Amino acid sequence: MEFASDNTSGVHPAILEAIARANAGPAPSYGADPWTARATALLREVFETDIRAFLVATGTAANAFALSALAPPFGTVFCHREAHINTDECGAPELFTGGAKLTPVDGAGCKISPEGLGKVQADFVRGFHQQAPAAVSITQATELGQVYSVAEVAAIGGFCRARGLSLHMDGARFANALATMNATAADLTWKAGVDVLSFGATKNGAMGVEAVVFFDTARAERFEYRLKRGAQVVSKSRFLGAQMAAYLEGGLWLENARHANGMAARLAEGLRAVPGVRLPLATEANAVFAVLPQDLHAHLLAAGAHYHAWPGDGAGPEPLPPHEVFVRFVCSYATAAEEVGALLEQARRFTRGGG
């Protein structure tokens, strides 16, 4: 019963096979290989526009280097207080921007809004005594599993354009967000005002590859120098290119995401029917956030369920009472319906007094 993270799943067989095929014979290095060229061409097809794309090994690298192209060392990037770049990347954005500051913004569901951004930016009145506002970063889907609609992204994009700010999207789970919507990848990114996207693949079936996708291609000038200096230019680049090409080929990325989202929806529906369990947030992608009774939580862990108690108070304004715990379950492309059923059966059995 594995629900700790979509990072715990293995590599999708089609991607593993692509890596093995790419292993045969010699190939040009440092991004000059045909697999990387194919991945870039497929990204152009997905986003329906000219782009500059750079493959890197980790999501932290994708975010940190993307922001380094948008914010000067004396600048600031507005992001949600719980954004991954602010809480889980060990200062990498600050390091690779050369010292730019992250300025947190609050918002329900880990979403930020033009109103919230406006309130925070209104405090930037000290001129060169204060960091210069440079960019906004949003996470799709958010750290609480919520999805920005096209209209919400466009509203933030409009805010940025009106104030001369760049817009970055952390898309570690971009596929999961898009799979829930009646929209295209283009609608959700450059058409809504996104300048640079950190396009995730690792959480959705790859071994380890992300793409920094520039829609404003002028921002990509000399970006390869940033990557080289930061040790993100991979010599055997074909293995990054092979992963990304296989991920995109035939729509595998969306197929994987739809499966993960479907398992999350099934889990959410089942948990909602368990007495004493509350779901304070809509399940919009592949993560389910729930409030469990402490004794049920202890039982599930003892029964072998892997998931995490989550920081916070249950996504509500009031702290949880001591007998409850806020938790996160994450489904992946590899989550089986049997795993979801087993966890729900454990929960139902315990609440019936059969634990």
Side-chain angles (χ1 to χ4, degrees), residues 23 29 41-42 54 78-79 82 90 99 109 118 152 172 176 190 239 250 266 271 280 292 326 344 346:
N23 193 48
S29 52
L42 286 167
F54 300 83
F78 299 107
C79 64
E82 298 300 322
C90 197
E152 287 173 323
N176 301 98
W190 63 271
F239 298 112
R266 181 179 297 196
L271 286 172
L292 305 182
F326 187 47
L344 292 174
Q346 284 290 339

Side-chain angles (χ1 to χ4, degrees), residues 53-81:
F54 300 83
L55 303 184
V56 296
T58 71
T60 294
N63 286 336
F65 285 100
L67 293 174
S68 78
L70 302 181
F74 53 82
T76 194
V77 177
F78 299 107
C79 64
H80 195 277
R81 189 174 303 278

Side-chain angles (χ1 to χ4, degrees), residues 5-6 9 203-204 256 259-260 263 286 330-336:
S5 172
D6 38 12
S9 62
K203 294 180 186 297
N204 196 32
N256 285 357
H259 175 83
M263 291 298 100
N286 64 319
V330 182
C331 297
S332 78
Y333 85 91
T335 301

Side-chain angles (χ1 to χ4, degrees), residues 103-194:
T103 297
V105 180
D106 291 319
C110 289
K111 287 183 178 181
I112 57 180
S113 66
E115 294 74 22
L117 286 164
K119 289 178 182 177
V120 174
Q121 192 181 2
D123 290 335
F124 282 73
V125 294
R126 298 175 181 85
F128 60 78
H129 296 285
Q130 203 168 12
Q131 290 79 18
V136 171
S137 179
I138 59 176
T139 308
Q140 182 75 300
T142 76
E143 288 72 18
L144 283 176
Q146 303 301 283
V147 172
Y148 285 94
S149 69
V150 171
E152 287 173 323
V153 177
I156 295 170
F159 176 94
C160 291
R161 292 291 174 270
R163 291 159 179 79
L165 304 175
S166 301
L167 180 56
H168 165 256
M169 179 181 283
D170 176 354
R173 294 186 175 96
F174 181 80
N176 301 98
L178 185 63
T180 69
M181 307 177 70
N182 183 24
T184 68
D187 292 335
L188 199 54
T189 54
W190 63 271
K191 288 185 177 180
V194 175

